[in-house]
Each structure stands twice: as structure tokens, then as C-alpha cells.
Amino acid sequence: MLIAPIMWEMKRRHSTSISIFSGREFNVDASRGLSGFVDFLIAKARQQAFIGLPVVVLVEAKKSDLASGYGQCAAQMVAAQIKNSQPEASEMQDRLEKGILGIITSGTVWQFLHLKAQELVLDLAEYSLDELSLLLGILEEFSK
């Protein structure tokens, strides 16, 4: 319940350029284990009917142990990177060069991952809702 208002604030700020999905199936390559449901996903597309390209932010919600979400979030980010390599995403090449933002959150504590090319970086800092403007700023940067 704490995550959705933040995601919807992003949608309000960027209503014509992003779509936000929650609890949607995100199957990219089942043979590699890259299929399943995402908690939240932001795509750089106006179309809300289907997950558009490029996928720019993925959010994995965990009740308390953020570290338990690293693998799942990283796998979702790799799936997004593969999906973003489809020909229809090539027109947004400059956006794709930013990479993909991954978020693991309990709702009150947020931690960020960044995937660019073959490099996955984990920000070891944990951010709280007390830093809401900072959280929104990070989301803004990746939603442009």
C-alpha cells in the first residue's frame, strides 16, 4: 500500500510518456527462467494495454528482507534488457543507454540497482520514505 502512491505520482507527473503496470505477467524467455509477474514496472510508453518499450524501472516488493529480492530483481532487469533489445525499441536508443533501474522495497525502505550493458551495480544505501523527494528524483531520472 505504500508503493502504489509513489508509482501513481510518477504516472501523474508523466501521464503522456510513461505507463505503470502492477502485478502483470512479464514473460521474456521462459527457457532462461525470465518469466513471471512483476510487482511494479514503468515503461516509456503511453499505451497502457500492454507493456511497451523500453522498460525503464522494475520494482520488487519484499516484506522486510531486502537482500532476498536481489536475485529476482536482477533477473527481471535482465529480462527487461532483452525485451528492450527488440527492434521496435531501437528508436529510443538514447534512452536505452541510461540502462534499467531496479528497486527493492519494503514500502518504507528502498534500495536501488542499476543495469547498464553487462554491469549490475547495487547501491548499498537504504533510503526511507522520509527521503521521498530523493526517491521521486531517482525515479524521475530514469523515467525521462
Side-chain angles (χ1 to χ4, degrees):
M1 298 305 278
L2 296 171
I3 303 165
I6 294 169
M7 294 293 107
W8 303 134
E9 174 61 18
M10 290 302 300
K11 178 62 175 169
R12 187 192 67 75
R13 292 180 181 198
H14 301 280
S15 63
T16 61
S17 62
I18 67 169
S19 290
I20 297 178
F21 302 90
S22 177
R24 293 283 297 270
E25 200 168 16
F26 188 54
N27 295 327
V28 175
D29 187 343
S31 69
R32 293 172 60 189
L34 300 175
S35 62
F37 290 84
V38 293
D39 292 325
F40 290 92
L41 178 148
I42 298 175
K44 190 81 173 145
R46 287 178 238 177
Q47 184 66 261
Q48 195 74 39
F50 59 91
I51 297 174
L53 297 173
V55 174
V56 295
V57 178
L58 290 140
V59 180
E60 177 62 29
K62 293 294 178 195
K63 288 188 178 174
S64 59
D65 182 17
L66 298 184
S68 70
Y70 293 159
Q72 187 174 0
C73 188
Q76 291 172 353
M77 294 169 75
V78 168
Q81 190 176 58
I82 292 168
K83 186 165 181 69
N84 288 349
S85 68
Q86 295 177 358
E88 56 267 32
S90 64
E91 65 189 48
M92 298 189 163
Q93 192 58 40
D94 58 331
R95 170 60 199 96
L96 296 174
E97 289 177 11
K98 278 187 178 180
I100 299 163
L101 180 68
I103 302 168
I104 303 167
T105 182
S106 65
T108 56
V109 178
W110 296 60
Q111 196 166 20
F112 297 96
L113 296 88
H114 179 236
L115 177 63
K116 185 173 179 182
Q118 300 299 311
E119 182 179 21
L120 178 65
V121 176
L122 169 64
D123 181 352
L124 295 176
E126 293 182 353
Y127 302 88
S128 74
L129 284 181
D130 293 336
E131 302 168 290
L132 186 56
S133 60
L134 178 60
L135 293 174
L136 286 170
I138 293 168
L139 284 167
E140 288 275 340
E141 180 60 32
F142 276 87
S143 297
K144 290 180 185 177

